[in-house]
Amino acid sequence: MNPGTIAIIGIVLLIFLFLLRMPVAYVMALIGFLGFAYTVSVEGALIILGKDFWGMFSSYSLTVVPMFVFMGTIAFYSGMGGRLYHAAYRFLGQLPGGLAIATCYACAAFGACCGSTNAGAAAMGKVTLPEMKKYHYDPSLATGCVASAGSLAILIPPSTILIIYGVLTEESIGKLFAAGILPGILLATLFALTVYIICRRNPELGPAGPRFSWKERVASLSGIVEMLVLFVLVMGGLFVGWFTPTEAGGAGAAGAIVIALIRRQLTWRGFLDSVVETTRITAMVFLIVTGATIFGHFMAVTRVPFDLSEWVGGLGVSPNVIMAFIIFGYLIGGCFMDSLALVTLTVPVLYPLILKLGFDSIWFGVIIVLIAEMGVITPPVGINVYVIKGVAGDVPLETIFRGIFPFLVALIICAAILIAFPQIAIFLPSFMTW
Amino acid sequence: MVFFERVVHSLSRICDRIAQAAVVAMLLLVVGNILLRIVWKPILGTYDIAGFIGAIVIAFAIAYCALQRGHIQVELLVARFPVRVQGIIDSITGILSLGIFSLITWQCTVLANHIRRVGEVSMSAHISYYPYIYGVAFGCGLLCVVILVDLIKSLIKVMKG
């Protein structure tokens, strides 16, 4: 049997076992091991198991994950999201759909302290949905808005998906973080515009809230200042080369703890819960990345990623058309599979193709995140929708999914803008010379 | 079975507490290194030590994460099947999971034995790191036990119909 056939059998088995509810990380390790054993040798495959598990678990470059996750969980448990929302609400609440517009920007700001889409949606959902309910916002608009905008947490740095992409492709995590900033602001604005257009057409869906005095508005800015301090500390340190990504995450987590303690917003219980959450998320992420690494070894020995890039490169089709197919494929895959799993599984296979087609690898990281954002809100797997359902128990799932649709269109428009103008993503990283 | 499950649950939870302490230790090390680098000199071997602490965080957390159903899986299809069919499918995937993690545990132990025998030390801190590899082997072994508990429960589900 030639290696290509073995790879295809491996991929089919992989999908079959996914569908049988076997954890994705276990399946990737199993198929990777079996495929490598069949293609190379059993001894080699056994050695890879031990070396990869030890190598990935003890990798310094991966210690960035628990540090940034810790920063996000502290921001979550210390109620930082609430303060950001109240600031945005005081400035934008009086507009038609103003509470939902404030939600979009508050989610973007919370994304600057937190890299997990679930935490973003849960933190902001708890704060924003009761307010929107109070002002009789349409439940579909309110829940769809917060579920979608919650996903901004993985585009605006720090971002778990960008970290994993960086580790898998050996790209600079600092550059990837910098690349996410402008597209994040663009997407938040597109989400806000979506709300504005919806509420201009039908003002009953998002009635205007009260107007606040400038005194109240200025007073609310302290909620934004703490986010800015953290963001400047983390991104500034990375940007000028003071910190490694792990150090930036550590400084961010320590900064979040100090801010929460000064504000007396972090209880001992909250601190313990944030550590518990950190170990849970970190274990999940590491196991899946390690599984993907073993599977990646199998793919590499079959040469499928390189043959695929040669084959597609020889088709003579425009790279943008191929990119459109890749995005469409991700969109479909994202409907059935968790975004993190999808990224870890596909990036090692597609990365050589992306380079061969002449796309910028940093830019592709941002595109991958945008697609992951689509994946977390599209049915039937859309995890953010279930998170919001958990917060707003009285709103049926169908209503939330209906509310998602306009924001999904905004995400697709954002992806199209980034394909047409890749400079939006690669402008800031171009200033980083290291 | 209930007693065995309770013991496994408690042990996984204790290990997760160790992982939690390790996260805090990692934070203190990383931040301490930044501060000391500014005011005096960096902590020697921070990269090595942070990596080893990271290994302890993951190894001691994966079993409890599995207990809490924290590892990503695709629920779409199997959840629609009758309970008995779900039990059969979970038993098959449980055996496969147990198989691969038994191999991983074994290979991590083999690697740790080898590093201990040759006396290899870390690059910058110059410390023996084989105990951490044993830690990873232990964590994977504990995950095997968690998978075994789930497997037994699935088999009981199949038997009882």
Side-chain angles (χ1 to χ4, degrees):
Chain A
M1 222 184 298
N2 71 46
T5 314
I6 298 167
I8 290 166
I9 293 171
I11 291 169
V12 171
L13 266 176
L14 186 95
I15 294 168
F16 179 68
L17 288 173
F18 282 166
L19 291 175
L20 291 188
R21 200 163 61 178
M22 189 167 164
V24 169
Y26 303 4
V27 178
M28 289 198 282
L30 177 71
I31 300 298
F33 166 74
L34 292 176
F36 197 93
Y38 189 83
T39 318
V40 182
S41 70
V42 176
E43 292 76 22
L46 284 170
I47 289 170
I48 273 183
L49 281 185
K51 288 214 161 170
D52 277 351
F53 263 76
W54 167 243
M56 297 306 284
F57 281 21
S58 64
S59 155
Y60 176 75
S61 57
L62 272 173
T63 52
V64 60
V65 175
M67 292 295 94
F68 275 118
V69 171
F70 199 15
M71 176 181 164
T73 55
I74 293 284
F76 178 86
Y77 282 102
S78 63
M80 220 173 254
R83 295 192 288 280
L84 288 169
Y85 176 65
H86 287 297
Y89 172 33
R90 272 156 182 74
F91 280 87
L92 300 163
Q94 78 282 5
L95 299 172
L99 295 182
I101 294 173
T103 301
C104 296
Y105 285 111
C107 284
F110 189 68
C113 325
C114 172
S116 153
T117 165
N118 311 2
M124 300 314 296
K126 275 180 197 160
V127 184
T128 61
L129 289 174
E131 286 292 323
M132 289 198 265
K133 194 173 177 182
K134 196 164 96 186
Y135 286 98
H136 307 291
Y137 268 55
D138 176 56
S140 187
L141 171 69
T143 51
C145 164
V146 71
S148 310
S151 71
L152 281 163
I154 53 169
L155 182 57
I156 293 176
S159 154
T160 320
I161 300 265
L162 283 176
I163 292 171
I164 299 307
Y165 178 83
V167 170
L168 291 172
T169 59
E170 296 182 356
E171 291 293 346
S172 156
I173 290 172
K175 283 188 178 180
L176 284 165
F177 278 3
I181 297 174
L182 293 181
I185 295 169
L186 171 69
L187 184 58
T189 305
L190 284 173
F191 282 159
L193 266 175
T194 306
V195 173
Y196 186 73
I197 292 167
I198 291 172
C199 295
R200 282 289 291 199
R201 289 177 62 181
N202 187 355
E204 282 182 11
L205 295 181
R211 179 181 285 277
F212 291 91
S213 68
W214 276 102
K215 196 178 166 189
E216 286 170 302
R217 288 178 182 176
V218 172
S220 72
L221 285 177
S222 66
I224 294 178
V225 170
E226 63 191 31
M227 177 277 294
L228 280 177
V229 168
L230 272 185
F231 190 72
V232 168
L233 175 72
V234 171
M235 283 311 295
L238 265 177
F239 212 80
V240 297
W242 284 347
F243 297 149
T244 63
T246 301
E247 288 175 345
I257 292 171
V258 170
I259 288 170
L261 288 177
I262 291 172
R263 281 190 163 271
R264 295 176 186 276
Q265 295 284 341
L266 186 64
T267 59
W268 180 241
R269 184 74 255 162
F271 177 76
L272 289 181
D273 286 345
S274 65
V275 190
V276 170
E277 194 69 7
T278 302
T279 56
R280 191 185 62 77
I281 296 172
T282 308
M284 181 269 285
V285 171
F286 266 72
L287 209 57
I288 215 159
V289 175
T290 309
T293 307
I294 295 171
F295 184 73
H297 287 311
F298 165 45
M299 284 290 111
V301 292
T302 62
R303 292 197 49 81
V304 160
F306 312 103
D307 291 344
L308 178 74
S309 70
E310 289 293 326
W311 179 71
V312 177
L315 285 177
V317 182
S318 154
N320 281 341
V321 173
I322 296 168
M323 181 53 69
F325 272 105
I326 291 174
I327 292 175
F328 182 71
Y330 267 113
L331 199 53
I332 300 296
C335 290
F336 300 99
M337 211 172 158
D338 179 88
S339 303
L340 180 66
L342 193 63
V343 168
T344 48
L345 181 68
T346 53
V347 163
V349 179
L350 289 177
Y351 188 65
L353 173 63
I354 296 305
L355 295 183
K356 173 98 182 168
L357 292 173
F359 288 110
D360 186 280
S361 51
I362 297 282
W363 169 85
F364 185 62
V366 174
I367 291 289
I368 282 276
V369 171
L370 272 182
I371 298 161
E373 286 193 68
M374 295 177 200
V376 298
I377 57 170
T378 42
V381 175
I383 183 78
N384 270 21
V385 174
Y386 295 99
V387 170
I388 292 301
K389 170 73 186 159
V391 179
D394 54 334
V395 183
L397 267 179
E398 301 77 49
T399 307
I400 309 176
F401 275 124
R402 209 173 52 240
I404 290 295
F405 185 72
F407 298 96
L408 186 63
V409 173
L411 267 164
I412 293 168
I413 292 172
C414 186
I417 292 174
L418 281 177
I419 290 174
F421 305 103
Q423 297 83 353
I424 297 171
I426 55 182
F427 172 68
L428 285 180
S430 66
F431 289 102
M432 298 171 78
T433 49
W434 44 276
Chain B
M1 175 62 192
V2 176
F3 176 73
F4 179 53
E5 195 179 342
R6 209 175 288 163
V7 170
V8 173
H9 197 282
S10 301
L11 188 59
S12 307
R13 206 180 163 137
I14 291 167
C15 287
D16 194 60
R17 291 268 159 83
I18 296 170
Q20 290 163 25
V23 167
V24 177
M26 188 193 286
L27 177 67
L28 292 174
L29 173 70
V30 169
V31 176
N33 183 50
I34 296 171
L35 295 176
L36 283 173
R37 191 170 64 204
I38 295 167
V39 299
W40 188 36
K41 61 179 183 180
I43 300 168
L44 184 70
T46 300
Y47 286 17
D48 286 351
I49 301 166
F52 298 151
I53 296 175
I56 295 304
V57 172
I58 318 306
F60 283 67
I62 50 174
Y64 193 62
C65 180
L67 266 181
Q68 293 181 307
R69 298 274 173 270
H71 297 300
I72 297 168
Q73 53 193 39
V74 181
E75 288 278 356
L76 273 179
L77 193 65
V78 178
R80 293 166 197 270
F81 292 155
V83 176
R84 189 159 190 200
V85 179
Q86 286 189 33
I88 295 169
I89 291 171
D90 287 344
S91 304
I92 295 166
T93 56
I95 291 166
L96 293 173
S97 304
L98 189 59
I100 186 68
F101 274 95
S102 302
L103 288 177
I104 292 163
T105 307
W106 171 44
Q107 282 306 307
C108 285
T109 313
V110 169
L111 181 66
N113 288 341
H114 172 72
I115 299 292
R116 181 173 54 85
R117 251 195 328 270
V118 298
E120 203 169 299
V121 293
S122 67
M123 299 269 267
S124 54
H126 299 292
I127 50 174
S128 294
Y129 62 91
Y130 71 86
Y132 299 99
I133 313 181
Y134 280 124
V136 172
F138 172 77
C140 292
L142 190 57
L143 179 58
C144 284
V145 182
V146 170
I147 295 169
L148 180 66
V149 170
D150 275 346
L151 175 60
I152 294 170
K153 276 158 72 177
S154 301
L155 288 171
I156 291 172
K157 215 189 274 181
V158 175
M159 308 265 204
K160 285 187 176 168

